[in-house]
Amino acid sequence: MEETSDRLNPTTDTSGVTPEFDPKTMRSTKPGLKRLFITTSVLFSFLLGVPFLWKSVEIYRSPLPFHDIDSLSDQIESTPLRFPCNLHAVFVGFESKDPDNLRSQIQDGINQLTHQSSQCGSCNVSISVTVQNLAEQCLETLAHNPSTCSYRCGVIIRNEFGVGLDDTVDESLNDVFSGCSENSGKTYSVVVVNKENANGEDEVIKAVVGKRRHAWVVGSGLEERYGDIVARVSEIFVKVFMNGGRDEESIHGEFMPVGSDGKIVLSFSLLNSNPRDWVYDWDFQRIDDALLAPVTKALAPIANISVESQVLYHTPKSSFSSWDEKLQSYIFRTSDLPFFVNSNEWHLDTSAGASGRSKILQFVVYIPSGKECPLLLQLPNGEISKTNGFISPMWGGVIVWNPESCDKDSESPIRNTISPQDLEQIVEIFLGQFRQLFGFKSEAIYTSGLGTYKILPSERGFTEWELDVLSRKHTCFNLHSCSTTLGSLSRLVRSLPRMIIKDEIGEQVKYSLKAAKLAQSNASLGGYSSSASSSREARSLAENAFFHPSIMSVSYFSYEHCFAVYSPFFLPVVGHIVLAAFREWKRYRQEKAKYLTWLTRKKTA
Amino acid sequence: MASLVRSWIPLLILQSFLVAVAFGSKEAEQFSEALLLKPLPDRKVLAHFHFENRAPPSNSHGRHHHLFPKAISQLVQKFRVKEMELSFTQGRWNHEHWGGFDPLSSMNAKPVGVELWAVFDVPQSQVDTSWKNLTHALSGLFCASINFLESSTSYAAPTWGFGTNSDKLRYGSLPREAVCTENLTPWLKLLPCRDKDGISALMNRPSVYRGFYHSQRLHLSTVESGQEGLGSGIVLEQTLTVVLQPETTSVETNMQPSWSLSSLFGRKVVGSCVLAKSSNVYLQLEGRLGHESKNVDTEIEAHKLWKNADFDLSLKPDRVLRESSGLLFIFDIDKSSDSEPFDLGLNWKLPSKWSCQQAPLQASRFLMGSGNERGAIAILLKATESQEKLPGRELTDGRCTIKANIFQIFPWYIKVYYHTLQIFVDQQQKTDSEVLKKINVSPSTDKVSSGMLEMMLELPCEVKSAAISIEYDKGFLHIDEYPPDANQGFDIPSALISFPSHHASLDFQEELSKSPLLSSFKEKSLVRSYTEVLLVPLTTPDFSMPYNVITITCTIFALYFGSLLNVLRRRIGEEERFLKSQGKKTGGVKQLLLRLTAKIRGRPIEAPSSESPAAESSFLSTKLIFKIILIAGAAAAWQYFSTDK
């Protein structure tokens, strides 16, 4: 090759061909293309190799449906989930009321109370109104959806209604409305009975909310005050049936103490703060069977609840109490409550292997030692707490239980067992705390501006309408937590471009989205249990994807590593090739220019 | 009449049985605590804490508990554990001085680090899964890296060599695990009184960990109720064995040091744990007065036992028991209180000497060979002095023999050649058939499972020493299989030597007591001893090597590639001609410089005369600017890539 270039070189033998030939600025032969071709082909093969290299160092990332995740969270943010609910209002003993008019008034009242703001888990109301006049004839206005309960006219007799115990009234109402179909949402009924004013005295209006899904308002002279009555009917529906009688400012509705696998572990601990003074034991097995089993059974659609108990010793509280001379007892102020639970000494834990991802709610019965007995909790207003207990949201509750006598009579401590009566009291307080953890009130009375409502407590801890509220809230909470989990997963994945994402995660995300969609559609159709179960599934799949072990372990494989491995080869080689190709191209242009000048010279010559 | 009575008795028994059945589930959980103190011949003191927690058969295990730790019960329920033992040990048990043939040493002399074995009550196919889950749960519970036992390369399934014959047994040990107070705290959490009250209040961390040996053990076993529909009961036994050196002021070297509880632990017992059914302190004196006076019924005699010419105790024992080799003083600590703490002391007046009963053979293990390629492991069994006196000799074919089981796990990177197994008895090589009665070998698979060797030796009674050696090759690990401190070496877990025909037990002449500690001593336990942990240095790579190799090979490739490309595109003839034409005019040094610049610029050399110095400088400056821009661009790109992640 060198030889040919030698021969072609104009400086040697072509100098004598033409008289004006200047070897510095011209050449007589065409410049060779071989070297240029070689260098450019090497350069191009390298450039072609770059995509392959890029592909080979690429890490596997299962494609996540980012768009679907975003749209799900947008949807949950913008249009909160609403369940269809039916309200059936029966007015008994009203003479001249038009049901259509009443219905629109109730609708207005409901709209006013909800302020049009649709909270997640609220109701899409359809109202039907029946008016039974004094002659026991009925006028009905049915909702758009025909599957509501039918009320047989004349079943409720005006003057006999509401006599006797509230429980029996509740049962009788259940018989009245027993023909309800539950296909499209739950049906709640409010019965308003206008009694004859027999005694002539101004009777108070009595409003009761039953254990099922019925409420009744009984009073006399209601016809005259019917605007008030309509307001109360809509209030019962919105504040009680729809929102569960909870205060908006109490525990935030988005917290549900349910684990992502749909389980709750109720862990009861009896803490003997100093067993040298006295030792108390309990027969919790019996309490569990007799009192707690109905509650766990009632809550079964919402969560799978398991109960466990233990007795711990030498567990002092971590803050001091002060002696109050007037009350003859030790006082612990509410402001000190954050320092009551002693996480150093109270080893309340259950075995992590046994509980998995369940939510553990701790319920602690604290027996003070002899040095601080009796121990009372003082409310901020100076009163003594009646339950002598407090809750900590999402953690559980503490009940301080004082022994009957605080005298340490003998040297050796006696082993006592808490009497069944005391235990029942403790369980009652616990049930109140448990209801509070779910956001309900622990009292049986709901007070509003219009008056008070008596709420019949269920022996199962939760009434049916409360369970409906819980199930709506639970679905809501699950979907919300599913969307936030998926949202943070997608943010994490997008922020770490070098993170490996296994197919499993992609599948879980896909199925979670699918379940969330299903839950939404079920909810809009009024399937309470099916939407709760699919929302639970959506949440647990989302959490599984987020806590997948492959995400935790191999977080990412850095660019620095890539540079460190590939630069020792590619940097020098690419430098060589690029420079060579550049020079060859430059030289070729130079030589070509020389050749062209030679050609023009030849032409002119 | 007699017949009438006789017919009543079975009825009564039946009735009481029915009552027992009816109240069987109501039987309470029981807890008891005990402390055994024992002066050792080498001027040390052994303290053995023993806690037992029994949960009666019930269906509410894992759910409702009063004294029994809920976490343990949940473990048992979840992983269907039938029996389990977990021990954390620091230091090595001195079999020669601290005894090798008593229940205390056979149960509490444990290998260094963590040892875990468990028997499961699940179908054979699920045993490994249960074991893996159990290791993870325990590692969380005890703040230890027990989860390293999860990988199949770290555990084994002994068949008969371990002593417990079950095909659902798994055994694993971590010799490297450092044991300290973070393991003791969760262990104490399982006790109802923790270390707040009772005997466990003595566990002052500095004094416990200052000792020569400490081993904390947790043994749990389920007891079948034998009734249909009733769950099984659980017995949880927790022991802590420490060997401490009492501080002594005595100048006499052969005098045993005097000590008291407060001088040993820095604390006193101020009362028993109120939840304990029994809480006792025992003081065991070996080789003492056992034969001198047989009947100690009288008060004076009894007094002589604890206050005599040799020694005296600071407190009067509640009872004194005799056993074959010594005395056992029993103290009840219920009577102690804040004002009158229980502080037992032992004061020696005369020098005294005694020796401990030892196992028939003393085992030690060592490595042979050198280099990083191969080596050999040898286990040496030496006869002890007490060998002749021991029971448990067997006559097979008219010969007196001692049986010894050896159980050893080899990690897979120790590639053992089982055919190189050699056995020497009294320095004479024996064939396998002569001494080897049984052998079970499961070879290791690389990176999958560890190897296991179980063998039963039958040695003649008059044996002085026996040695077993086996050769191995050292394997190579993958770079990410090395532990962080690979240069320290790799541990081979202790071998277990047990003597199947020898059982240790203490037999007290008086029938006594439901004390769990004493009843556990009365049970016959297999005599066993663990050998040392071996440290095998493996070839450890330079861990930056992969990058070095990458850099070097890449550089070589780049050089090769660059020069090849240069050769392809160089014009040698042209360059030579230039050199010729230039060489006439310029000197050697200048020519060299020119050649260099020509090479750098890659263009034909122009005659220096033709170019003006001004043009040269301007050309240089543009080039310089270009280079600076190039470098700045590279830096900017680097900055961009390194920050934008």
Side-chain angles (χ1 to χ4, degrees):
Chain A
M1 212 198 281
E2 299 299 325
E3 303 310 313
T4 47
S5 85
D6 265 350
R7 241 180 286 126
L8 287 169
N9 205 307
T11 48
T12 48
D13 52 347
T14 50
S15 55
V17 176
T18 39
E20 309 101 303
F21 184 79
D22 181 11
K24 271 186 189 139
T25 54
M26 36 185 111
R27 56 185 290 163
S28 58
T29 52
K30 257 186 160 180
L33 274 169
K34 272 178 241 151
R35 286 177 174 79
L36 182 64
F37 177 71
I38 287 167
T39 48
T40 46
S41 63
V42 170
L43 179 68
F44 275 107
S45 60
F46 257 83
L47 288 180
L48 279 178
V50 165
F52 287 100
L53 179 79
W54 196 247
K55 195 82 195 156
S56 75
V57 300
E58 198 178 46
I59 45 167
Y60 184 72
R61 280 162 76 89
S62 169
L64 290 188
F66 293 119
H67 178 72
D68 291 353
I69 292 171
D70 290 343
S71 72
L72 177 76
S73 56
D74 284 348
Q75 202 182 348
I76 284 172
E77 284 294 313
S78 61
T79 51
L81 199 62
R82 286 162 77 107
F83 291 77
C85 305
N86 308 315
L87 170 65
H88 191 184
V90 179
F91 291 83
V92 178
F94 284 77
E95 197 51 61
S96 56
K97 286 292 165 275
D98 175 27
D100 287 319
N101 190 17
L102 275 174
R103 188 175 154 214
S104 62
Q105 277 176 337
I106 292 173
Q107 184 75 59
D108 286 347
I110 287 173
N111 287 347
Q112 210 176 2
L113 283 170
T114 50
H115 306 296
Q116 249 58 27
S117 68
S118 45
Q119 218 186 332
C120 183
S122 62
C123 276
N124 239 344
V125 201
S126 57
I127 307 165
S128 51
V129 176
T130 309
V131 177
Q132 185 181 340
N133 62 14
L134 294 175
E136 302 202 338
Q137 284 161 338
C138 292
L139 285 170
E140 271 187 280
T141 303
L142 289 182
H144 311 296
N145 125 18
S147 63
T148 46
C149 308
S150 57
Y151 165 70
R152 271 189 301 122
C153 198
V155 174
I156 297 176
I157 300 156
R158 183 183 167 209
N159 285 336
E160 287 170 18
F161 184 80
V163 185
L165 286 173
D166 289 334
D167 283 324
T168 51
V169 176
D170 194 30
E171 288 303 313
S172 71
L173 274 181
N174 196 42
D175 293 338
V176 168
F177 294 102
S178 59
C180 291
S181 64
E182 301 267 310
N183 284 339
S184 57
K186 309 283 179 189
T187 303
Y188 302 94
S189 53
V190 182
V191 178
V192 184
V193 180
N194 186 17
K195 288 211 168 190
E196 260 177 303
N197 200 345
N199 311 338
E201 63 200 38
D202 195 25
E203 216 182 311
V204 253
I205 298 172
K206 184 183 173 193
V208 184
V209 182
K211 288 184 229 174
R212 301 269 162 69
R213 300 189 178 91
H214 316 294
W216 60 95
V217 182
V218 182
S220 55
L222 298 182
E223 185 110 40
E224 294 79 53
R225 293 184 279 166
Y226 93 99
D228 191 24
I229 293 306
V230 163
R232 290 193 81 154
V233 168
S234 42
E235 196 179 56
I236 285 177
F237 184 74
V238 172
K239 289 278 161 76
V240 179
F241 285 146
M242 213 162 97
N243 285 338
R246 54 174 103 191
D247 296 326
E248 299 304 322
E249 68 271 10
S250 64
I251 296 175
H252 200 262
E254 271 160 17
F255 287 112
M256 281 281 277
V258 181
S260 65
D261 57 351
K263 280 188 192 155
I264 305 178
V265 178
L266 298 182
S267 168
F268 288 86
S269 310
L270 179 67
L271 303 189
N272 285 287
S273 73
N274 189 355
R276 288 192 157 231
D277 298 332
W278 40 68
V279 178
Y280 279 91
D281 201 347
W282 56 8
D283 186 7
F284 205 84
Q285 177 82 51
R286 244 184 35 212
I287 290 290
D288 184 13
D289 295 343
L291 299 171
L292 293 177
V295 179
T296 56
K297 213 175 140 199
L299 281 173
I302 287 142
N304 186 359
I305 300 180
S306 58
V307 179
E308 50 189 49
S309 78
Q310 61 183 341
V311 186
L312 299 176
Y313 309 90
H314 292 287
T315 50
K317 67 182 183 346
S318 55
S319 183
F320 296 107
S321 50
S322 56
W323 173 252
D324 189 305
E325 203 50 59
K326 214 163 55 191
L327 291 161
Q328 287 294 308
S329 54
Y330 289 89
I331 295 295
F332 196 85
R333 273 171 240 295
T334 330
S335 52
D336 295 333
L337 280 187
F339 311 103
F340 193 91
V341 174
N342 187 348
S343 42
N344 273 343
E345 310 269 359
W346 298 12
H347 43 282
L348 306 170
D349 43 50
T350 91
S351 163
S355 60
R357 215 178 277 170
S358 327
K359 176 78 203 162
I360 298 171
L361 288 181
Q362 307 283 359
F363 286 98
V364 171
V365 178
Y366 178 81
I367 298 175
S369 62
K371 275 188 290 181
E372 45 171 22
C373 178
L375 181 68
L376 300 175
L377 301 182
Q378 192 180 38
L379 299 175
N381 59 11
E383 280 178 41
I384 296 301
S385 163
K386 276 181 210 147
T387 56
N388 224 13
F390 62 93
I391 62 163
S392 166
M394 300 300 278
W395 181 83
V398 176
I399 300 167
V400 178
W401 186 81
N402 291 308
E404 268 165 50
S405 100
C406 287
D407 301 323
K408 224 174 33 153
D409 28 45
S410 62
E411 264 301 299
S412 61
I414 331 143
R415 292 201 188 193
N416 308 300
T417 309
I418 299 179
S419 68
Q421 291 79 19
D422 287 338
L423 259 187
E424 263 171 50
Q425 268 183 5
I426 288 171
V427 171
E428 266 171 38
I429 299 172
F430 144 72
L431 272 181
Q433 293 187 335
F434 192 46
R435 286 168 56 86
Q436 277 186 323
L437 288 177
F438 275 103
F440 290 116
K441 288 192 152 192
S442 53
E443 306 118 53
I445 279 176
Y446 177 73
T447 316
S448 74
L450 291 170
T452 56
Y453 304 94
K454 186 181 175 191
I455 294 172
L456 290 188
S458 167
E459 58 279 351
R460 301 190 302 168
F462 294 87
T463 59
E464 276 180 35
W465 55 268
E466 279 174 332
L467 289 176
D468 290 346
V469 173
L470 272 189
S471 134
R472 286 196 294 265
K473 294 270 170 202
H474 183 53
T475 307
C476 237
F477 167 70
N478 279 343
L479 283 181
H480 192 260
S481 116
C482 166
S483 87
T484 48
T485 311
L486 288 181
S488 21
L489 179 69
S490 83
R491 272 199 301 282
L492 177 80
V493 165
R494 277 188 270 195
S495 68
L496 296 174
R498 304 282 303 167
M499 191 171 80
I500 298 164
I501 299 159
K502 287 195 172 172
D503 264 340
E504 258 174 84
I505 297 172
E507 301 243 307
Q508 277 165 343
V509 169
K510 207 175 81 194
Y511 288 131
S512 166
L513 283 172
K514 217 172 170 182
K517 290 258 158 60
L518 191 67
Q520 280 177 319
S521 68
N522 279 339
S524 60
L525 290 175
Y528 276 54
S529 60
S530 57
S531 65
S533 73
S534 44
S535 71
R536 194 188 291 171
E537 194 190 3
R539 179 180 166 208
S540 90
L541 279 171
E543 302 239 328
N544 281 349
F546 191 80
F547 292 109
H548 197 273
S550 73
I551 285 193
M552 311 299 267
S553 56
V554 195
S555 202
Y556 75 117
F557 167 70
S558 67
Y559 272 120
E560 282 89 342
H561 185 81
C562 240
F563 274 118
V565 170
Y566 293 109
S567 58
F569 179 64
F570 283 99
L571 234 52
V573 167
V574 165
H576 269 295
I577 293 168
V578 168
L579 275 183
F582 178 67
R583 274 186 204 143
E584 281 305 315
W585 177 68
K586 228 168 117 184
R587 186 192 150 96
Y588 177 74
R589 264 184 38 188
Q590 226 173 12
E591 296 298 310
K592 204 174 172 192
K594 278 186 189 172
Y595 179 60
L596 284 177
T597 47
W598 158 245
L599 277 186
T600 47
R601 182 69 57 86
K602 214 163 84 174
K603 252 181 209 164
T604 50
Chain B
M1 192 64 205
S3 68
L4 195 72
V5 167
R6 214 170 293 150
S7 68
W8 268 103
I9 288 170
L11 210 67
L12 276 174
I13 289 170
L14 190 71
Q15 209 169 13
S16 62
F17 177 70
L18 282 175
V19 167
V21 168
F23 290 94
S25 57
K26 294 275 168 247
E27 198 186 322
E29 293 165 349
Q30 274 179 14
F31 171 72
S32 61
E33 54 177 2
L35 167 65
L36 176 83
L37 295 160
K38 184 177 168 186
L40 295 172
D42 62 343
R43 303 159 56 76
K44 296 188 178 66
V45 178
L46 176 133
H48 174 72
F49 296 84
H50 182 274
F51 306 95
E52 195 184 84
N53 213 330
R54 279 174 182 273
S58 156
N59 284 328
S60 64
H61 278 325
R63 293 181 55 222
H64 301 298
H65 288 284
H66 302 273
L67 280 173
F68 198 83
K70 193 171 70 175
I72 291 293
S73 171
Q74 283 173 341
L75 273 190
V76 171
Q77 294 298 309
K78 172 119 183 178
F79 304 118
R80 320 268 311 132
V81 180
K82 207 167 161 197
E83 200 176 354
M84 183 193 101
E85 189 178 65
L86 172 68
S87 67
F88 296 87
T89 310
Q90 264 325 276
R92 199 173 123 66
W93 183 263
N94 188 339
H95 283 94
E96 199 180 338
H97 289 117
W98 304 345
F101 198 82
D102 51 341
L104 194 69
S105 66
S106 64
M107 283 192 289
N108 295 294
K110 287 285 170 188
V112 177
V114 169
E115 187 203 44
L116 173 71
W117 60 267
V119 184
F120 296 94
D121 187 21
V122 292
Q124 188 64 41
S125 56
Q126 294 169 20
V127 174
D128 284 322
T129 336
S130 292
W131 166 266
K132 285 171 187 180
N133 291 334
L134 178 73
T135 56
H136 276 271
L138 285 175
S139 111
L141 204 59
F142 287 102
C143 297
S145 36
I146 307 173
N147 54 326
F148 287 146
L149 289 176
E150 181 212 5
S151 92
S152 57
T153 54
S154 56
Y155 67 89
T159 50
W160 45 265
F162 186 65
T164 316
N165 292 351
S166 167
D167 52 352
K168 290 166 184 172
L169 170 73
R170 294 291 178 272
Y171 172 92
S173 77
L174 296 169
R176 187 67 68 85
E177 182 76 16
V179 180
C180 200
T181 166
E182 80 268 16
N183 307 114
L184 184 64
T185 310
W187 183 86
L188 281 171
K189 251 167 108 176
L190 305 175
L191 303 173
C193 284
R194 304 209 296 291
D195 58 345
K196 299 281 171 206
D197 213 351
I199 286 169
S200 47
L202 282 176
M203 288 181 201
N204 182 23
R205 306 298 196 283
S207 39
V208 166
Y209 290 101
R210 201 193 293 137
F212 285 79
Y213 174 86
H214 68 90
S215 168
Q216 82 188 54
R217 196 171 68 100
L218 178 137
H219 178 268
L220 64 89
S221 53
T222 53
V223 185
E224 291 301 324
S225 61
Q227 284 173 49
E228 203 58 35
L230 193 64
S232 48
I234 311 171
V235 180
L236 172 70
E237 197 189 352
Q238 287 174 264
T239 63
L240 175 74
T241 312
V242 275
V243 175
L244 302 169
Q245 173 82 67
E247 280 168 33
T248 172
T249 48
S250 157
V251 277
E252 286 178 77
T253 45
N254 54 353
M255 186 81 168
Q256 283 281 335
S258 304
W259 51 263
S260 68
L261 278 182
S262 53
S263 76
L264 280 180
F265 291 101
R267 289 188 188 175
K268 292 167 189 167
V269 180
V270 289
S272 61
C273 173
V274 290
L275 305 153
K277 198 170 134 265
S278 69
S279 52
N280 294 314
V281 173
Y282 302 89
L283 175 68
Q284 190 185 11
L285 288 181
E286 268 187 321
R288 191 137 290 279
L289 302 169
H291 48 275
E292 277 180 18
S293 50
K294 276 291 169 204
N295 41 352
V296 279
D297 300 329
T298 57
E299 191 68 20
I300 308 139
E301 287 281 346
H303 192 262
K304 255 190 186 170
L305 279 176
W306 64 280
K307 263 194 198 309
N308 54 28
D310 273 359
F311 64 91
D312 60 2
L313 300 176
S314 67
L315 293 168
K316 180 180 181 297
D318 293 303
R319 296 202 57 173
V320 183
L321 286 186
R322 298 160 167 283
E323 41 107 11
S324 54
S325 64
L327 288 175
L328 192 71
F329 299 95
I330 303 176
F331 303 87
D332 202 354
I333 61 167
D334 280 336
K335 281 170 270 170
S336 65
S337 64
D338 288 321
S339 52
E340 206 183 326
F342 179 85
D343 186 14
L344 176 65
L346 175 65
N347 194 19
W348 293 97
K349 291 174 185 162
L350 288 174
S352 70
K353 227 174 143 99
W354 69 94
S355 66
C356 282
Q357 231 183 343
Q358 289 181 24
L361 299 168
Q362 205 182 355
S364 62
R365 191 177 64 163
F366 48 89
L367 286 177
M368 300 194 294
S370 62
N372 274 341
E373 209 179 340
R374 58 180 63 90
I377 296 174
I379 296 174
L380 184 66
L381 300 170
K382 260 193 198 157
T384 52
E385 288 164 18
S386 59
Q387 191 208 326
E388 280 90 41
K389 291 176 273 177
L390 290 176
R393 298 147 152 252
E394 279 179 31
L395 288 172
T396 38
D397 309 334
R399 286 188 306 139
C400 165
T401 56
I402 301 173
K403 274 187 197 155
N405 277 352
I406 297 173
F407 167 64
Q408 167 79 67
I409 292 181
F410 298 104
W412 66 265
Y413 43 82
I414 302 297
K415 295 177 177 170
V416 178
Y417 296 114
Y418 291 98
H419 70 275
T420 60
L421 181 73
Q422 286 176 312
I423 302 171
F424 299 87
V425 174
D426 290 333
Q427 279 136 36
Q428 282 171 342
Q429 188 169 357
K430 300 277 180 179
T431 54
D432 291 352
S433 55
E434 280 177 275
V435 283
L436 203 59
K437 205 178 166 210
K438 254 207 276 193
I439 187 163
N440 177 26
V441 163
S442 80
S444 62
T445 322
D446 274 9
K447 302 179 190 196
V448 173
S449 69
S450 56
M452 184 184 64
L453 170 70
E454 291 169 294
M455 55 184 177
M456 184 186 275
L457 296 179
E458 207 170 46
L459 301 167
C461 284
E462 61 279 1
V463 66
K464 287 277 169 285
S465 73
I468 297 128
S469 83
I470 192 161
E471 288 173 22
Y472 65 86
D473 268 4
K474 296 178 183 177
F476 289 100
L477 277 77
H478 190 260
I479 187 155
D480 35 326
E481 284 165 349
Y482 283 96
D485 52 347
N487 288 307
Q488 192 191 330
F490 289 77
D491 293 298
I492 303 180
S494 300
L496 171 65
I497 319 286
S498 55
F499 303 96
S501 48
H502 293 79
H503 291 277
S505 71
L506 288 184
D507 46 335
F508 305 103
Q509 282 152 7
E510 287 139 282
E511 194 54 49
L512 175 87
S513 81
K514 290 170 186 130
S515 160
L517 177 66
L518 293 189
S519 52
S520 79
F521 281 174
K522 271 186 101 160
E523 276 171 32
K524 292 200 164 186
S525 58
L526 191 65
V527 175
R528 51 177 84 182
S529 64
Y530 288 90
T531 63
E532 301 91 338
V533 169
L534 290 181
L535 194 64
V536 180
L538 289 191
T539 38
T540 47
D542 172 10
F543 290 102
S544 63
M545 190 180 68
Y547 288 97
N548 296 345
V549 169
I550 287 170
T551 318
I552 274 201
T553 42
C554 287
T555 315
I556 288 168
F557 268 109
L559 275 177
Y560 170 75
F561 205 88
S563 45
L564 201 72
L565 204 72
N566 260 344
V567 164
L568 278 177
R569 55 168 281 274
R570 256 175 92 179
R571 296 168 175 83
I572 289 170
E574 203 173 305
E575 279 166 27
E576 269 178 358
R577 243 175 286 114
F578 264 110
L579 282 179
K580 261 182 215 155
S581 62
Q582 298 290 315
K584 292 161 198 161
K585 298 166 198 166
T586 50
V589 182
K590 203 170 183 188
Q591 196 186 337
L592 209 74
L593 265 175
L594 271 172
R595 261 166 94 180
L596 259 176
T597 49
K599 250 203 174 157
I600 290 164
R601 290 181 192 166
R603 53 165 64 192
I605 302 168
E606 288 138 312
S609 56
S610 66
E611 239 169 307
S612 67
E616 172 95 43
S617 70
S618 77
F619 172 75
L620 267 177
S621 67
T622 51
K623 195 129 195 187
L624 199 72
I625 288 163
F626 175 70
K627 275 179 185 167
I628 287 168
I629 288 170
L630 193 78
I631 288 167
W638 173 256
Q639 189 70 17
Y640 175 74
F641 275 115
S642 57
T643 52
D644 177 53
K645 267 188 283 170

